[in-house]
Structures are given as C-alpha cells and as structure tokens.
C-alpha cells in the first residue's frame, strides 16, 4: 500500500503531510496520537457536580464572549450538549484562543469541572475541535486525537481523517517485527504490528500505554545497541599504549611541586586513570567533578604518566582564555621539571605556528595545550599518548572521535563540570568509563548567594566597594544577547563605563569574546595579578577561569541565565581563603521559571542538585545539547521520564551485543536490517563512519 492509495488524499493534503514529516505509509503509522478521549469518561454536562472532577465534555459552542475589563478581562466560551451548558474560561491568551472558535462548532473540553454560581466552569481546558459527533461516538471506546499543525488544519486534515487512514492502513499492512522474539517475551512487549493497532485503535488505556512503552523501548534499544557497538569497536580496534612506569616527573610533581595534598576524590580519579593506562587497552574515561573540585591537577597527573613513558600529551579546552590559563598553570608546575609545553590557538602568526607544529611533529614538545586547533588536520604528533579534553560538554562527540584517531589511538580523558545525574550519565556515555570527584578541596568557605532586584544597585555597589577596600576582587558579568562569542556588547560596555565611574579608586577591566586573544590574555593576566580589581565581562569567563582572590561575582540580568551557567559562574569564586559572595541581580520582569532558577541558586550549591533541576526544566535535549552530546532526538521516548525503560533497553542491547556482535544469527536477521542503516547514520555523526 502506498500513501497515494489512501482515500480523500488531495495533492494539497499530500503536501501538508509532507510538511509534517509524513512521506510514506510507515511515517503515517508512526504519527502517534497526542492524546486520547476515553468515551467512557465523556460526561453529560448535567451529571457534573463541579467539585473539581477531571473529565471531558463534548458540546456545541453557543456563545463566545469577552468579559470584564483590565486585569479581570477574560474569554468565556459557553458550550451545550443535550443535557446542559458549561462555561470554558480563559484568563490569559483569550485573544488568540478565541480565533479557533466559531459559533455552532463541536468541541471537546478536557479539564477540571468547578461550579461557580449558576455555571459549571472549566478554566483553561484542553480543547479539541471535532468535525462531527461521530468523531467521538462512532468508532471506538477510545478516540485518538492526533497532533495538529498549520499545514494540516489549512487542508482540513483533521484527527478524524487521520484516524480513518490509520485504520485502513492497519487493515492492509503488517509492519514487520525486527525485535527478536525472545526479547519481546522477556520484556513483555507487544509485537510491532499489534503495537501499532494498540496505538491507533486501542481498546483500553492500558493497551495504548503498553504500546507506547514498546515503541519507547524499540527506540532506546536501537540507541543503546549502537552505543554498545561503538564501545566494542573501540575495544577491539584499539590496543592502548601501556604506561608502565610511574616515573620521576610524576613522583617529583606530587611529592615536591604540588603545594597541597590531594583530596580523596582526586586520588581515586587518579588511581582509576592509572589502572586504565596500564591495562593495555585504550582509556576512554570521563572525569565528572563539580566546579572547583580540582580536575586540572588530575589531568596533570595523567599527562605526567604519559610523559614519563615517553609519550606526548594534548590538552584541549573549549575557549582560548581557558586554554591560555591551562597553559599558564601547566607551565608554572611543569617547566621547572624540564618539560616543554606549547600553546596552540587560532590566531597565532604563521611563523610561530610553523615553529610549534615542527616541535610537535619532531617530538621536542611534550605537551600541547590549545583549543580545537589542536585536532586540526595539519597537527601531526610525534608520539601522542594521551589526549585530555576539558569541559567536554562544550565539545561535540565528534571532536572526541576525531582525537581518537590522532596518533596511534591515544588514551582519552574527558573532564566535565556539568554534573549529570549518574545513572543518566552512565547510560548516555556508556562508551566511556566514569570517575566522579566528590567534594571540594578542604578549607573552602561556601559562597554566600543573594538574589536582588536592579533597584538595589546602590547598596550592592556600596558592598562591593567595601570588599574591594578589604583587598578582594570582583567579577561583574553581563549576559550575551546571542549564544555565541559574537555578541552584542552594549550591556557589558555600558556597564564597564558605569563601573569605572563608580569605583574611581580601583582599576576596572573589560573582557569580551570579540577581543583579540592577546588582549583577552592581557586583561585576564592583569586580573590574576590584581592589577585590576573589577573585571566586567560577558560569559567568556564562564568556564574554568581560576582567580583565588576573587570574592565577588555579580551577575546582571541573572534571570536570563540557565541554571548550569549560573552554577559555573558562581564556581569562579570561593576558590581561596576569603568569604565569597555571589549576587544575582534581576530585572523588573522575571518569568516564573526565572524566579525558580534564582531561588534554586540561593538554596543550594550542590552541582548535582542544580543539574538535576536544570535537566527537569530544560529537558535532556537542551540540557545536554542534543547535537553536542551525540544524543539523538527521540521520537517517543524521554530519557528522563523513561529511565526505567532505558535501563531495560540498555541491558537487552548489551546481552545481544555479547552473544552475537555481528548480528549474524538467523534470529537477528530483521534486527540487522534495521540496525545497520541506523548505526551508519549515527557513526557518521560520531565522525567514525
Ligand atoms: P575545576 O575542577 O573546576 O577545573 P580547578 O582544577 O581549576 O577546578 O581547581 C580549582 C582550584 O583549586 C585551583 O586553584 C587549584 O589549584 C585548587 N586545588 C585543586 N586541588 C586542590 C587540593 N587538593 N587542595 C587545595 N586546593 C586545590
Ligand atoms: Mg577546570
């Protein structure tokens, strides 16, 4: 059966379907209902008590009226079934909602029924517009309601028509199963064909729920199978370099150079790394540690293991500022040991660049620190043994894959300060091993956080001035208008001018992403050296920058920042002896969500808790950055809500990968047909295909 075989399918409708991503019969089957009307719960209006019971009512629109004035303005839509009338009320957005209604139209309202005076009322009900009564009563006990959009409604391709098509398709077509039968049994999943029927023509609520669970499983299973395969290929392909010696450099650094004792978390991360690099297989490890937990020292430890065994190491950071800072830190600690470190960034002169590249290729350079410039084509290593990727959430999976191919498969250490709930991390990054650095170095005083409105600027500046007089330093951060380093500088520049006047006794500097790398470096260095006491900046300082004497972080328009970003910014202070203060300043208009974020920041400094809240607010796609994380857009599954299915899918995927890695058994024939193109698509994305 083909799409064009469907009845009532005009060219215009074909176009509308195509605009909705539906180009085949299978696409249409995969167009799932948004929700269902359970006919058994459609109540006659007269039967409603109005005590807040949740239900669906169906009736024709009798009256559409705007009521009240000013703040009391509201839209009222009165509908009538054959028993009584009911009033739908919208206190907000009435103007837009009104447009979808017309008198005499048949609609379904779903919501809580409450009695006010004479009327049973539903406030902000969910609305479905129905073409005629049969849509509710004809067919099924449970009526699927398909998502609509402009294209579909323009061509009157309503839910009812779509449902009719689905029914017809399912009469003729039997989409093949590809999940192996034992797996269906083990996880109690309906077969594919049946599952489509249960989605589009369900007999009960539990039926369509079961079917949804199957499709979620299917989606997550393919994903986990691809993760398992990637991991397996990495293990097979890459025998790792063996770093057998714990040599002089490592010993000297930890025993004599390092001015502090390692925390428990740092020690255990280092011992994980040591085990990996001696194992004979390639290390692929993620270090998760909150901002300030001291990941850099761990990286240095790993780098020294490489150097002690005659290998080079690469250290990649997402921004130049951060690369430069790492370069300084590493130089400070390691140059005295006679280790040669070079910085490779975007805008160096050609001759300098050639010089650096020659040193890397010749093996004179032991460590190269840089931005993604480090993995560019023309950088050839003499003997690359280890690649460290800092703040890995800022890089794509692709970059990680790219660095895996540099040299002869170096060990890879990625570091992230975006705490992802552990179970989620293990599932997402299951091709990585994970070490978590728990706790911050001792002796730190927790940062005090305050949320203040803009009108308190005077008091805030007064407070800042006292801190500055007392020897502290302050960051003042303005939001980017766009999510890039090419930004609208108006706010930060104006703020800079204002603060120069405000603090005439102190030096104020400005840092932004459009400055040349040397200039940024110079400003940052001045702040590190306390030649500047106030640093006005856009979010370029967000990641990783370390100035222990800085004790104040002011974030302007804090309501515009995401939770994880605020957490990162706050992590810039509280790194030294001083009591530190984070002041989150918000504008006069703050959304509900914005207020929640600010309150959360004031409540806790636990990175994992903040991450969890952020994840809930933004959803996994935005939180991890779908493109960045290598996470596909799931069509039906939700990796946060459906954790449990995810776990099952993962365990099923690994079982199969262990038993039959090439999927050559007859029982896996259909699976292989589906999986191979899926995997190819993903591998392309990983940069491995
Ligand atoms: P992050 O994990 O955010 O990258 P850094 O590596 O920048 O953290 O470390 C933050 C600060 O803590 C640095 O100034 C570093 O020198 C210091 N530090 C790291 N480890 C320890 C430790 N064990 N004891 C005391 N200070 C430490
Ligand atoms: Mg760091």
């Amino acid at each position: 059966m083909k799409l064009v075989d469907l009845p009532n399918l005009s060219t215009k409708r074909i176009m509308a379907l195509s605009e909705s991503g539906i180009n085949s019969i299978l696409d249409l089957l995969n167009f799932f209902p948004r929700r269902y009307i359970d006919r058994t719960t459609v109540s006659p209006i007269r039967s409603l008590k109005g005590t807040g019971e949740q239900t669906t009512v169906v009736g024709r629109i009798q009256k559409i009226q705007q009521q009240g004035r000013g703040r009391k303005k509201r839209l009222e839509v009165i509908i009538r079934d054959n028993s009584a009338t009911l009033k739908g009320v919208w206190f907000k957005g009435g103007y837009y909602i009104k447009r979808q209604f017309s008198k005499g139209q048949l609609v379904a309202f779903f919501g809580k029924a409450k009695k006010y005076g004479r009327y049973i009322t539903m406030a902000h009900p969910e609305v479905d517009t129905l073409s005629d009564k049969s849509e509710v009563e004809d067919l099924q006990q449970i009526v699927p309601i398909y998502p609509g959009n402009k294209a579909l409604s323009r061509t009157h391709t309503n839910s009812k028509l779509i449902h009719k098509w689905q029914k017809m398709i399912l009469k003729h077509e039997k989409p093949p199963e590809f999940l192996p039968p034992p797996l269906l049994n083990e996880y109690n999943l309906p077969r594919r064909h049946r599952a489509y029927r249960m989605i589009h023509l369900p007999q009960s609520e539990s039926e369509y729920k079961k079917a949804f669970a199957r499709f979620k499983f299917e989606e997550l299973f393919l994903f986990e199978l691809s993760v398992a395969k990637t991991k397996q290929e990495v293990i097979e392909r890459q025998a790792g370099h063996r770093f057998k010696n714990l040599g002089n450099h490592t010993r000297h650094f930890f025993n004599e150079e390092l001015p502090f004792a390692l925390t428990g978390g740092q020690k255990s991360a280092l011992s994980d790394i040591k085990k990996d690099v001696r194992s004979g297989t390639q290390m692929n490890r993620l270090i998760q540690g909150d901002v300030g937990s001291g990941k850099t020292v761990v990286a240095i430890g790993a780098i020294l293991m490489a150097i002690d065994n005659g290998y080079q190491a690469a250290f990649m950071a997402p921004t130049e500022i951060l690369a430069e800072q790492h370069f300084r830190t590493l130089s400070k600690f390691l140059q005295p040991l006679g280790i040669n470190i070079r910085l490779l960034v975007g805008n160096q002169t050609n001759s300098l660049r050639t010089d650096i590249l020659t040193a890397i290729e010749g093996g004179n350079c032991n460590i190269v620190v840089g931005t993604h410039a480090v993995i560019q084509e023309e950088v050839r290593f003499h003997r690359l043994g280890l690649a460290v990727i800092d703040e890995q959430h800022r890089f794509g999976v692709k970059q990680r894959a790219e660095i895996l191919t540099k040299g002869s498969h170096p060990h890879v250490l990625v570091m992230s300060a975006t705490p992802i709930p552990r179970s989620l991390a293990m599932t997402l990054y299951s091709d990585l091993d994970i070490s978590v650095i728990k706790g911050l170095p001792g002796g730190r005083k927790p940062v005090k956080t305050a949320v203040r409105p803009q009108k308190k600027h005077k008091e805030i500046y007064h407070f800042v001035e006292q801190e500055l007089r007392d020897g502290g330093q302050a960051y003042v951060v303005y939001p980017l208008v766009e999510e890039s380093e090419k930004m609208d500088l108006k706010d930060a520049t104006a703020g800079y001018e204002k603060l120069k006047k405000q603090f005439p006794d102190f030096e104020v500097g400005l840092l932004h992403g459009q400055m040349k790398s040397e200039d940024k470096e110079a400003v940052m260095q001045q702040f590190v050296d306390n030649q500047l006491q106030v640093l006005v900046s856009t979010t370029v300082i967000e990641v990783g920058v370390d100035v222990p004497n800085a004790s104040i972080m002011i974030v302007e328009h804090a309501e515009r920042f995401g939770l994880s970003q605020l957490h990162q910014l706050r992590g810039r202070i509280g790194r030294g002896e001083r009591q530190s203060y984070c002041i989150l300043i918000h504008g006069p208009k703050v959304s509900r969500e914005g207020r929640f974020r600010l309150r959360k920041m004031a409540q806790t400094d636990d990175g994992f808790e903040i991450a969890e809240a952020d994840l809930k607010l933004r959803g996994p796609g935005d939180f991890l950055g779908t493109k960045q994380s290598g996470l596909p857009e799931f069509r039906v599954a939700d990796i946060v809500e459906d954790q449990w299915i995810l776990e099952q899918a993962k365990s099923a995927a690994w079982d199969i990968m262990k038993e039959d890695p090439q999927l050559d058994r007859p029982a896996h024939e259909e699976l292989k047909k589906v999986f191979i193109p899926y995997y190819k698509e993903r591998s392309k994305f990983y940069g491995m295909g």
Side-chain angles (χ1 to χ4, degrees):
M1 193 172 180
K2 289 216 184 72
L3 215 47
V4 291
D5 299 333
L6 295 172
N8 305 97
L9 191 62
S10 61
T11 321
K12 276 188 185 147
R13 278 190 174 142
I14 292 183
M15 306 263 284
L17 287 178
S18 181
E19 266 178 65
S20 318
I22 300 168
N23 295 302
S24 69
I25 289 287
L26 193 63
D27 287 346
L28 192 53
L29 279 179
N30 283 325
F31 190 66
F32 286 177
R34 175 164 61 87
R35 62 189 202 89
Y36 296 85
I37 296 182
D38 188 339
R39 201 187 64 172
T40 55
T41 68
V42 174
S43 317
I45 294 173
R46 184 172 292 281
S47 74
L48 297 177
K49 295 202 175 65
T51 52
E53 65 268 40
Q54 187 150 311
T55 186
T56 303
V57 293
V58 174
R60 286 197 188 279
I61 295 180
Q62 272 199 322
K63 217 187 223 172
I64 304 168
Q65 56 194 20
Q66 292 281 3
Q67 293 285 25
R69 281 182 182 280
R71 308 195 68 189
K72 293 209 167 146
K73 204 165 157 186
R74 63 192 182 273
L75 171 72
E76 296 186 351
V77 176
I78 295 169
I79 63 168
R80 179 175 186 86
D81 67 4
N82 50 24
S83 67
T85 53
L86 175 143
K87 191 152 80 181
V89 183
W90 285 262
F91 299 100
K92 265 190 181 163
Y95 178 76
Y96 294 97
I97 291 158
K98 193 175 157 196
R99 292 190 197 164
Q100 60 173 308
F101 294 126
S102 57
K103 224 173 140 187
Q105 190 180 25
L106 190 69
V107 293
F109 283 178
F110 173 77
K112 282 186 185 153
K114 286 215 172 125
K115 192 165 169 117
Y116 288 110
R118 204 153 67 76
Y119 271 109
I120 299 280
T121 302
M122 275 187 188
H124 292 259
E126 271 184 52
V127 179
D128 287 296
T129 50
L130 309 172
S131 50
D132 63 73
K133 262 219 153 74
S134 63
E135 194 160 340
V136 194
E137 285 166 5
D138 250 8
L139 317 149
Q140 291 285 320
Q141 293 240 303
I142 297 195
V143 182
I145 302 295
Y146 292 90
N149 59 34
K150 274 214 182 95
L152 292 176
S153 66
R154 196 177 55 224
T155 51
H156 308 289
T157 313
N158 58 24
S159 194
K160 191 182 172 195
L161 180 60
I162 293 172
H163 189 222
K164 188 171 143 191
W165 286 338
Q166 303 286 17
K167 210 167 156 184
M168 189 168 267
I169 295 170
L170 286 168
K171 221 183 250 169
H172 294 96
E173 294 286 317
K174 198 170 174 187
E177 181 58 79
F178 62 82
L179 293 178
L183 201 147
L184 295 174
N185 288 338
E186 188 179 343
Y187 295 97
N188 190 20
L189 305 170
R191 304 188 119 252
R192 202 145 193 269
H193 173 59
R194 237 194 97 218
Y196 278 120
R197 292 193 71 88
M198 289 158 80
I199 290 266
H200 295 297
L201 315 163
Q203 300 294 321
S204 68
E205 182 180 331
S206 73
E207 248 194 33
Y208 67 71
K209 285 198 168 149
K210 218 173 154 191
F212 265 100
R214 185 228 133 95
F215 287 106
K216 289 173 176 192
F217 182 93
E218 175 184 310
E219 205 172 23
L220 295 167
F221 172 74
L222 285 173
F223 171 65
E224 287 296 341
L225 199 60
S226 74
V227 174
K229 185 151 181 75
T230 308
K231 171 137 190 175
Q232 210 183 36
E233 286 190 343
V234 169
I235 292 171
E236 270 170 17
R237 190 154 33 114
Q238 270 104 296
H241 309 291
R242 224 183 259 277
F243 297 172
K244 284 197 223 77
N245 313 318
L246 185 62
N248 289 336
H249 289 120
T250 312
R251 225 172 277 130
H252 188 86
F253 172 72
F254 284 110
N255 297 340
E256 283 161 51
E257 286 278 325
L258 197 65
F260 42 71
L262 294 175
T263 65
Q266 287 169 321
K267 278 189 199 153
S268 87
L270 275 165
S271 94
D272 289 345
I273 292 168
K274 201 154 84 186
K275 236 182 275 155
D276 290 348
V277 296
R278 291 176 169 200
S279 69
T281 38
Q282 186 197 32
M283 170 170 76
N284 206 7
R285 181 169 291 279
L286 169 68
I287 305 281
Q288 274 208 351
D290 211 341
V291 265
S293 59
K295 293 183 291 295
T296 318
V297 172
V298 173
I300 294 178
I303 287 171
L304 289 173
M305 292 178 207
I307 293 176
D308 273 337
N309 287 273
Y311 289 94
Q312 291 171 302
F315 196 164
M316 263 166 58
T319 61
E320 293 195 355
I321 289 202
L322 199 54
E324 282 151 15
Q325 181 191 296
H326 282 322
F327 176 67
R328 279 198 302 273
T329 309
L330 265 64
S331 301
K332 184 178 83 189
F333 283 125
L334 304 183
Q335 244 152 23
L337 309 185
I339 291 170
N340 186 352
I341 308 165
R342 303 300 297 258
L343 176 69
L344 186 66
V345 285
N347 54 356
Q348 285 161 321
T349 62
N350 274 341
S351 61
L352 179 58
R353 198 178 163 74
T354 312
D355 182 46
I356 298 169
L357 292 179
T358 315
I360 296 172
E361 192 164 7
N364 300 327
C365 160
N366 306 105
I367 306 173
V368 50
V369 182
T371 54
H372 61 281
V374 169
I375 51 162
Q376 274 156 12
E377 198 79 37
E378 69 267 28
V379 184
R380 276 183 297 273
F381 286 87
H382 176 62
R383 208 172 174 223
L384 182 65
L386 168 74
V388 180
I389 307 177
D390 194 17
E391 307 294 347
Q392 82 100 29
H393 61 289
R394 288 299 189 91
F395 290 99
V397 184
K398 197 161 170 184
Q399 275 107 328
R400 175 150 59 87
E402 263 166 347
I403 211 149
L404 283 166
T405 63
K406 278 275 158 191
S408 46
H409 307 304
H411 293 297
V412 175
L413 186 66
V414 299
M415 306 198 292
S416 174
T418 307
I420 302 166
R422 190 174 165 85
S423 61
L424 184 58
M426 291 204 323
T427 319
L428 291 178
Y429 300 123
S430 44
D431 63 325
L432 287 170
D433 296 310
I434 300 179
S435 306
V436 176
I437 302 186
K438 290 204 188 80
L440 301 181
R444 296 257 174 90
K445 299 188 180 79
V447 175
K448 289 187 179 158
T449 302
V451 177
R452 295 284 182 269
Q454 270 169 353
K455 58 175 193 260
K456 295 274 179 196
H457 262 127
K458 214 172 136 201
E459 287 93 324
I460 294 166
Y461 289 150
H462 182 67
F463 175 75
V464 172
E465 180 153 355
Q466 282 177 330
E467 268 296 299
L468 296 179
R469 292 209 186 283
D470 197 40
Q473 285 169 278
Y475 292 104
V476 182
V477 176
Y478 288 86
L480 292 188
V481 171
E482 274 173 37
E483 249 292 332
S484 76
E485 292 196 7
K486 265 203 207 133
M487 68 207 75
D488 183 338
L489 284 172
K490 233 172 51 205
D491 278 0
T493 316
Y496 167 67
E497 297 298 338
K498 185 171 87 173
L499 288 164
K500 270 206 307 205
K501 290 201 193 91
Q502 184 73 37
F503 303 120
D505 298 345
F506 299 96
E507 296 301 323
V508 181
L510 176 65
L511 187 71
H512 60 77
Q514 281 175 338
M515 285 161 62
K516 275 208 220 112
S517 153
E518 306 97 82
D519 299 343
K520 274 193 272 188
E521 153 104 356
V523 171
M524 205 56 227
Q525 191 60 49
Q526 284 173 338
F527 190 63
V528 172
D529 296 340
N530 203 356
Q531 289 165 12
L532 296 174
Q533 287 75 47
V534 179
L535 185 62
V536 179
S537 164
T538 56
T539 41
V540 285
I541 58 145
E542 183 198 336
V543 253
V545 176
D546 187 33
V547 182
N549 190 49
S551 56
I552 295 186
M553 168 63 66
I554 293 181
V555 183
E556 296 281 354
H557 291 292
E559 76 276 10
R560 294 193 203 154
F561 291 77
L563 266 176
S564 296
Q565 215 178 5
L566 289 173
H567 181 64
Q568 283 281 343
L569 286 170
R570 185 167 58 184
R572 299 301 110 225
I573 54 170
R575 295 180 155 237
E577 303 288 293
R578 280 174 175 279
Q579 174 61 54
S580 292
Y581 304 89
C582 174
I583 304 167
L584 304 173
I585 303 179
H586 60 80
K589 283 208 177 108
V590 183
S591 69
R592 218 212 216 151
E593 199 189 297
R595 230 173 300 145
F596 172 81
R597 286 195 300 256
L598 296 176
R599 208 178 319 130
K600 188 96 216 162
M601 286 299 295
Q603 255 168 25
T604 182
D605 58 4
D606 179 328
F608 279 86
E609 196 182 326
I610 288 171
E612 208 127 5
D614 201 18
L615 183 63
K616 283 217 185 88
L617 283 180
R618 292 197 287 161
D622 282 341
F623 174 78
L624 298 162
T626 302
K627 298 255 157 52
Q628 296 277 306
S629 62
L631 192 67
E633 295 260 14
F634 292 113
R635 199 171 57 82
V636 267
D638 174 325
I639 51 164
V640 178
E641 297 285 312
D642 301 323
Q643 275 275 335
W644 188 69
I645 301 178
L646 184 63
E647 293 296 325
Q648 290 193 327
K650 182 183 177 184
S651 116
W654 280 94
D655 286 349
I656 290 202
M657 212 20 84
K658 267 184 219 129
E659 266 173 44
D660 182 18
Q662 301 304 328
L663 302 178
D664 283 337
R665 296 196 191 159
H668 297 152
E669 194 183 323
E670 291 300 318
L671 175 59
K672 189 171 182 171
K673 273 191 218 155
V674 173
F675 180 66
I676 287 196
Y678 178 92
Y679 187 63
K680 272 219 181 95
E681 195 52 39
R682 266 190 71 69
S683 304
K684 226 193 294 169
F685 187 74
Y686 265 90
M688 288 173 169

